[in-house]
Amino acid sequence: MTGASAHRPALAICLIIAGFTCFSTMDMLVKKSGAMVPVEQVTFFRYAVHFAVLLALTPFLGLRTMLGGRRFGFLALRGGFMFVSTVLFFTAITQLPLAEAAAITFMAPIITVGLSVLFLKEQVGIRRWSAVAVGFGGILVILRPGLQELSPAHFMVLATAFFFSVFTLMTRHAGTGTPIAATTFLTGLTGLVGSAFMLPGTGPLPSPESWPVLAVIGLLALAAECLLILGYRYAFASLLAPFQYVQMLWATFFGWLVFDTLPDLWTCAGAVLVIGAGLYIWLRESRIRQDPPLVADASGQR
């Protein structure tokens, strides 16, 4: 597959929006389940279902393919960043409104732009760096340090943004030559092992009545990751980053529908700044990009 034929930004944008919609729905279910089930157990079931689905495919694709071959270490590390991000965010949203948590995670696309310079060697000019600064200012408006007491949950969401940014960049890099089955399998394996170590001391496992919701959480997580991997194969990471903002719409909707909460004025104002900065970055990217990225198909061949 050549770079010219593989560069499909419209398809990539649709895949990214669908992926983050799955993530937002999962977050709502996690927050709802967190009132009855310890976060450690929710995390374990999220990864157990994810891993079980992919394990069933192993006889058809082969264990070597699922383990990523020579890229095992890289993909396992990538899964580790996702696992840490998951634990931090699952814990935080049990304490914060969904819309506020989602707004803070919007720092992730801003961080992605900066990290894309280091890891993907993408060129970012002064205008986009200025947009990054505006986006950071928006995060400060949301957090209001000095005007409100910042809880550990706020810092967990900030850390989530960083770890998810690294995961996003590693996804982009892995997508140039790694089967989707391997990236998702090792995400599930790494998360399952990590979450299993968190289970002792959390009490009895959830009642069978909770299992269907926990299973849906795992399936949504797997679907979201597959959609994001596909999306980042068809366009630049810095171009797609702003489309994470669909999460704000879903978080506001679910917060109102399920939890009877709406974002306050400070959160809305800060989100506007961050989203505006991200959209400007997207517009700049769409104008200056000339050479499409080289991507790989599902078999890992260029």
Side-chain angles (χ1 to χ4, degrees):
M1 183 181 295
T2 64
S5 63
H7 185 56
R8 302 173 64 182
L11 173 60
I13 289 168
C14 290
L15 291 169
I16 294 300
I17 290 175
F20 281 115
T21 298
C22 289
F23 270 134
S24 297
T25 307
M26 178 191 71
D27 293 341
M28 179 272 291
L29 294 176
V30 168
K31 183 174 178 63
K32 193 171 179 64
S33 300
M36 300 172 290
V37 181
V39 170
E40 295 85 355
Q41 295 184 13
V42 175
T43 304
F44 176 80
F45 273 87
R46 172 256 188 268
Y47 279 108
V49 173
H50 177 143
F51 182 73
V53 172
L54 292 167
L55 188 63
L57 299 177
T58 302
F60 304 98
L61 299 177
L63 183 60
R64 179 176 175 81
T65 296
M66 300 299 275
L67 291 178
R70 296 179 179 178
R71 308 206 75 183
F72 173 83
F74 175 85
L75 296 175
L77 179 62
R78 170 187 171 276
F81 280 109
M82 182 62 166
F83 169 68
V84 174
S85 174
T86 298
V87 173
L88 290 170
F89 194 69
F90 280 9
T91 304
I93 60 176
T94 62
Q95 305 171 38
L96 295 176
L98 277 178
E100 183 176 356
I104 297 171
T105 62
F106 290 164
M107 191 65 186
I110 305 298
I111 297 172
T112 298
V113 172
L115 293 180
S116 66
V117 177
L118 298 176
F119 292 101
L120 302 184
K121 306 303 181 182
E122 297 183 9
Q123 299 299 315
V124 177
I126 185 62
R127 296 182 182 180
R128 279 170 290 162
W129 281 124
S130 299
V132 168
V134 171
F136 181 74
I139 296 297
L140 293 179
V141 170
I142 296 169
L143 294 177
R144 308 188 297 282
L147 298 180
Q148 72 165 350
E149 182 178 356
L150 297 180
S151 69
H154 288 104
F155 293 102
M156 288 181 187
V157 180
L158 285 172
T160 296
F162 173 78
F163 284 110
F164 192 77
S165 296
V166 178
F167 169 81
T168 298
L169 266 294
M170 294 184 78
T171 297
R172 173 71 177 129
H173 182 70
T176 61
T178 306
I180 293 177
T183 55
T184 53
F185 182 81
L186 286 172
T187 295
L189 177 60
T190 304
L192 181 64
V193 172
S195 58
F197 280 103
M198 297 169 56
L199 282 181
T202 61
L205 291 177
S207 63
E209 290 79 10
S210 301
W211 292 356
V213 174
L214 295 174
V216 171
I217 289 173
L219 292 174
L220 285 171
L222 177 58
E225 185 179 359
C226 290
L227 289 165
L228 292 182
I229 291 171
L230 286 172
Y232 284 109
R233 290 190 174 193
Y234 290 115
F236 286 100
S238 49
L239 185 151
L240 296 174
F243 291 94
Q244 181 186 350
Y245 302 145
V246 70
Q247 287 184 295
M248 187 65 185
L249 299 177
W250 285 115
T252 301
F253 174 73
F254 287 136
W256 166 74
L257 181 67
V258 181
F259 305 104
D260 196 27
T261 60
L262 288 171
D264 59 24
L265 182 61
W266 288 97
T267 300
C268 291
V272 167
L273 287 175
V274 179
I275 292 173
L279 290 176
Y280 177 79
I281 291 172
W282 168 64
L283 289 172
R284 287 291 302 166
E285 290 291 339
S286 65
R287 290 176 182 174
I288 66 175
R289 292 296 180 193
Q290 296 179 352
D291 298 323
L294 290 174
V295 300
D297 60 16
S299 67
Q301 300 298 319
R302 286 193 178 182

